[in-house]
Amino acid sequence: MPTVEYGGKTFTVDEDGFIDSFDNWNEEWVQLVKEAEGIDELTDEHWKTVQVLQDYYKKNGIAPMVRILSKVTGFKLKHIYELFPSGPGKGACKMAGLPKPTGCV
Amino acid sequence: MAKHETPLLDQLESGPWPSFVSDIKQEAEARAKNEKGVEYQIPVDVCEDLLGVLELSFKHGRTHWKHGGIVGVFGYGGGVIGRYCDQPEMFPGVAHFHTMRVNQPGGKFYTAEYLRQLCDLWDMRGSGLTNMHGSTGDIILLGTTTPQLEEIFWELTHTYNQDLGGSGSNLRTPADCVGEARCEWSCYDTQALCYHLTQEYQDELHRPAFPYKFKFKFDGCPNCCVASIARADISFIGTWKDDIRLDQEAVAAYVGGELPPNAGSHAGRDWGPFDIQKEVIDLCPTECMSYADGKLAIDNRECNRCMHCISVMPRALRIGNDRGCSILVGAKAPILDGAQMSTLLIPFIKVEEPYDEIKEVIENIWDWWMEEGKNRERLGELMKRQGFQKLLEMCNLKPDPRMVQEPRTNPYIFWKEDEVPGGFQRDIKEFRKHHLR
Ligand code: HEM
Ligand code: HEM
Ligand code: SF4
Ligand code: SF4
């Protein structure tokens, strides 16, 4: 798998730009993903979404359903797309360092 | 000279059926020649490498595409199926080979001009290969690279006024039979309803918000030419409420042999002269037809509108005038808990703009399933898990004998507490007063 460097850190990523392991996540990663995902400026709401995804993933070993992400963050799906233009899966989960969504996508 | 040897695929160029191998080779050659001077945005030899990797799969008996792939366009959560080859060094032309779903028009009617434009776009920014169409209905543009996705999307929306289709846990691209456009059996305008609901639920189609995928399909009559009953979470199937319209003169013409039965569908073999008794009356599933003294009669109260008699004698028998559709729900493929066809939920509903009644049904179902559906649970599975009764409650519908094929045979019947005199709170001491231990 290819590697990318950012802010003095090295990340291993797949073709879709997802990080190889949740354990290698750090704040530089967020900065790096930001641009590829069409986000101009990171706000508290971005961080809150990332935080919720990470807490859920650590506790349950999977990403939350969209409905649960909306409930816990209080952000409607429309607002999540305003924050993350490519959506909760490709945008937010990638930024939070979660594994790539699978299934009949 | 082709880039890869393809001895196994070459065998598929013989025989009478149009060969996909010959077609792909033709496209490979056209790209190599590039007579129009197109500025190809993905590798020129994409088609050759596709044949190469396919040949390798034929040899190995296994796929050479990597697992999954998450790509798309900003603003949408679906529409593109990402795919990467697992032998990118050997076949660099298909290292990226993403599929784009493009929302097709109702009944798949096109003008040459529209298709030509789409081909020009795809020639330049894609592989030049397509699937016309995916089984859900979309125009499928087969194979391009990640950087081209936004370019193609921009061109589609800005130049062709054309949107992507659906993928992921959302409303997938709805599809319909040709309907009133060219079928005299269509009980409602399938294309109008399909188009209207596609537009109405664009948000649900482009941004996955559901527990799992969800499909609509629209059939104008029970012949189900788009197979809605087997391939859609909600199946809209046209029907009528009044009498079948009968033209006795035309019946006589069938009996007399002037009109061929089934519009000549069986002309390829000698089935003998048309026998109305044998081919219609005796095959009616409810035995509600009779033919005596040269007159055909139908007891319409007993007719279940199966379409058989109408299909055999289209010039003599016609659908009624009081038309609408039935709504059936829950069809799905086997994964996880077994295949399902849709189950009748609403026997008859009028199909009239702005379709408010129909939207109410859809939205009631979504409210229930979006709240109660488990992760990756289709509607049909939720119906099994929580019960048909629950679905009726959520849709504010009264149970009706038409909703079951047969009543239950087991006696594990649940009662609501308020249906039972005295309720469920009982004191064992009270019971013991009459029944000593
Ligand atoms: C990597 C996984 C999968 C991929 C890439 C995939 C891809 C596709 C594609 C491209 C289509 C045609 C779409 C169209 O015509 O617009 C399709 C249709 C369909 N998929 Fe999948 N699929 C996957 C997994 C599944 C799974 C797990 C199921 C069942 C649980 C499923 C059930 C279906 C069905 C039933 C259809 C046809 C629907 C119809 O007839 O209209 N697919 N799929
Ligand atoms: C001491 C306890 C029990 C006794 C003496 C008892 C006795 C019986 C008897 C005499 C029958 C009728 C058999 C026949 O007509 O052929 C029967 C049927 C049945 N019992 Fe029990 N039973 C007991 C406990 C249970 C329990 C705990 C259950 C369920 C959890 C149960 C479920 C059934 C069922 C489903 C049938 C019907 C079987 C059939 O129709 O084939 N029984 N029982
Ligand atoms: S489903 Fe019925 S109305 Fe639609 S095209 Fe087929 S026969 Fe005609
Ligand atoms: S539509 Fe079917 S059930 Fe009705 S009369 Fe014709 S054959 Fe019989």
Side-chain angles (χ1 to χ4, degrees):
Chain A
M1 286 208 264
T3 55
V4 283
E5 272 182 49
Y6 193 88
K9 298 245 167 45
T10 306
F11 302 95
T12 307
V13 297
D14 69 9
E15 297 94 337
D16 292 324
F18 279 75
I19 201 168
D20 66 332
S21 162
F22 181 60
D23 299 330
N24 297 338
W25 180 90
N26 55 42
E27 300 206 354
E28 275 73 28
W29 172 255
V30 175
Q31 298 295 341
L32 176 97
V33 171
K34 191 182 104 171
E35 285 155 38
E37 289 304 325
I39 297 162
D40 295 332
E41 206 161 322
L42 289 168
T43 64
D44 291 350
E45 292 184 329
H46 287 101
W47 285 107
K48 182 176 177 185
T49 312
V50 166
Q51 192 66 49
V52 166
L53 287 171
Q54 295 191 331
D55 290 348
Y56 193 94
Y57 180 69
K58 282 184 215 153
K59 199 160 153 239
N60 301 293
I62 55 167
M65 290 168 74
V66 171
R67 190 174 77 225
I68 294 166
L69 182 64
S70 279
K71 258 189 199 154
V72 180
T73 55
F75 304 150
K76 292 223 159 70
L77 186 60
K78 187 161 170 275
H79 190 57
I80 296 178
Y81 273 89
E82 282 160 8
L83 296 171
F84 299 94
S86 32
K90 181 169 175 284
C93 282
K94 182 192 281 183
M95 185 175 274
L98 268 56
K100 183 153 82 180
T102 57
C104 184
V105 295
Chain B
M1 184 57 207
K3 191 173 164 199
H4 307 281
E5 296 277 309
T6 55
L8 296 170
L9 289 175
D10 293 348
Q11 295 175 31
L12 300 181
E13 291 195 86
S14 56
W17 299 101
S19 163
F20 74 95
V21 176
S22 305
D23 288 354
I24 297 176
K25 283 187 178 174
Q26 191 183 326
E27 178 65 13
E29 207 172 303
R31 284 176 78 88
K33 280 197 196 136
N34 194 9
E35 277 172 357
K36 282 197 220 152
V38 179
E39 284 179 54
Y40 291 124
Q41 298 298 304
I42 77 165
V44 179
D45 55 1
V46 52
C47 298
E48 272 149 275
D49 277 352
L50 182 71
L51 289 170
V53 69
L54 184 60
E55 177 77 15
L56 194 67
S57 286
F58 268 53
K59 204 167 125 203
H60 292 163
R62 62 173 185 269
T63 182
H64 280 296
W65 301 106
K66 286 192 197 178
H67 180 80
I70 292 292
V71 291
V73 297
F74 286 147
Y76 290 1
V80 187
I81 320 296
R83 205 53 94 219
Y84 303 97
C85 183
D86 73 0
Q87 305 295 332
E89 279 85 34
M90 218 187 302
F91 307 108
V94 292
H96 289 214
F97 199 72
H98 310 322
T99 290
M100 299 187 83
R101 292 185 184 171
V102 176
N103 199 154
Q104 84 289 357
K108 305 192 179 88
F109 286 93
Y110 292 106
T111 60
E113 193 202 354
Y114 170 85
L115 292 174
R116 213 170 273 136
Q117 287 176 335
L118 200 63
C119 289
D120 286 345
L121 171 62
W122 190 236
D123 269 343
M124 175 176 170
R125 302 195 176 276
S127 66
L129 303 178
T130 67
N131 174 0
M132 293 299 271
H133 301 71
S135 41
T136 302
D138 301 90
I139 299 169
I140 307 266
L141 303 180
L142 210 51
T144 190
T145 59
T146 307
Q148 289 306 311
L149 298 175
E150 291 285 359
E151 306 284 343
I152 294 166
F153 184 56
W154 196 95
E155 203 69 36
L156 280 176
T157 49
H158 289 73
T159 314
Y160 307 139
N161 197 19
Q162 168 69 61
D163 209 336
L164 293 181
S167 71
S169 289
N170 59 1
L171 175 64
R172 300 295 181 87
T173 308
D176 49 15
C177 75
V178 293
E180 289 177 353
R182 46 189 344 186
C183 179
E184 64 269 41
W185 297 331
S186 197
C187 299
Y188 69 97
D189 189 342
T190 52
Q191 293 191 38
L193 182 59
C194 182
Y195 180 76
H196 184 96
L197 294 181
T198 304
Q199 296 290 10
E200 176 80 14
Y201 298 121
Q202 281 289 297
D203 244 3
E204 285 75 6
L205 194 153
H206 292 306
R207 283 171 280 278
F210 293 164
Y212 204 6
K213 62 170 89 160
F214 200 94
K215 294 173 185 171
F216 289 163
K217 281 190 169 63
F218 306 87
D219 277 308
C221 81
N223 281 340
C224 273
C225 292
V226 78
S228 66
I229 196 169
R231 304 192 303 154
D233 296 80
I234 303 192
S235 326
F236 299 86
I237 304 179
T239 189
W240 64 94
K241 264 202 317 195
D242 53 351
D243 293 353
I244 291 178
R245 287 171 294 156
L246 244 173
D247 175 349
Q248 298 289 4
E249 257 175 58
V251 173
Y254 278 105
V255 173
E258 291 109 70
L259 291 171
N262 293 86
S265 299
H266 308 295
R269 198 177 144 183
D270 185 6
W271 294 93
F274 177 59
D275 180 342
I276 192 170
Q277 185 67 34
K278 194 169 128 220
E279 293 175 45
V280 181
I281 313 299
D282 292 352
L283 293 182
C284 168
T286 63
E287 298 173 12
C288 69
M289 307 182 83
S290 56
Y291 182 74
D293 305 328
K295 286 269 177 279
L296 183 67
I298 301 175
D299 178 2
N300 281 281
R301 286 170 57 88
E302 296 302 325
C303 162
N304 66 13
R305 299 169 309 284
C306 75
M307 297 297 296
H308 176 71
C309 57
I310 298 177
S311 300
V312 177
M313 302 191 291
R315 297 277 290 274
L317 301 176
R318 286 169 203 279
I319 58 172
N321 284 322
D322 188 0
R323 300 172 198 160
C325 80
S326 304
I327 299 181
L328 295 84
V329 291
K332 59 177 280 288
I335 292 170
L336 280 168
D337 69 355
Q340 287 188 47
M341 302 252 265
S342 284
T343 300
L344 184 68
L345 180 68
I346 301 199
F348 189 88
I349 193 166
K350 276 283 180 193
V351 184
E352 280 160 359
E353 276 182 278
Y355 313 112
D356 286 337
E357 266 189 303
I358 288 176
K359 285 186 226 169
E360 199 185 318
V361 176
I362 294 171
E363 287 164 26
N364 282 335
I365 292 175
W366 280 350
D367 284 348
W368 175 50
W369 177 62
M370 285 176 74
E371 194 53 40
E372 296 290 330
K374 290 192 193 174
N375 196 16
R376 301 226 172 138
E377 182 177 54
R378 289 290 285 269
L379 174 64
E381 291 163 341
L382 175 63
M383 285 161 54
K384 270 191 177 176
R385 183 164 62 84
Q386 293 203 345
F388 196 72
Q389 184 72 39
K390 185 80 192 171
L391 171 64
L392 294 187
E393 253 170 53
M394 300 313 292
C395 293
N396 306 314
L397 292 170
K398 287 213 170 62
D400 181 306
R402 289 170 292 184
M403 294 169 184
V404 294
Q405 173 142 20
E406 57 190 348
R408 66 193 303 151
T409 52
N410 75 56
Y412 302 121
I413 297 168
F414 286 90
W415 299 88
K416 293 218 171 76
E417 183 160 10
D418 58 15
E419 293 167 335
V420 181
F424 292 164
Q425 297 304 319
R426 303 294 168 104
D427 183 357
I428 183 72
K429 287 191 197 108
E430 195 55 37
F431 176 80
R432 283 288 165 240
K433 282 183 194 159
H434 311 287
H435 304 277
L436 294 180
R437 288 204 70 135

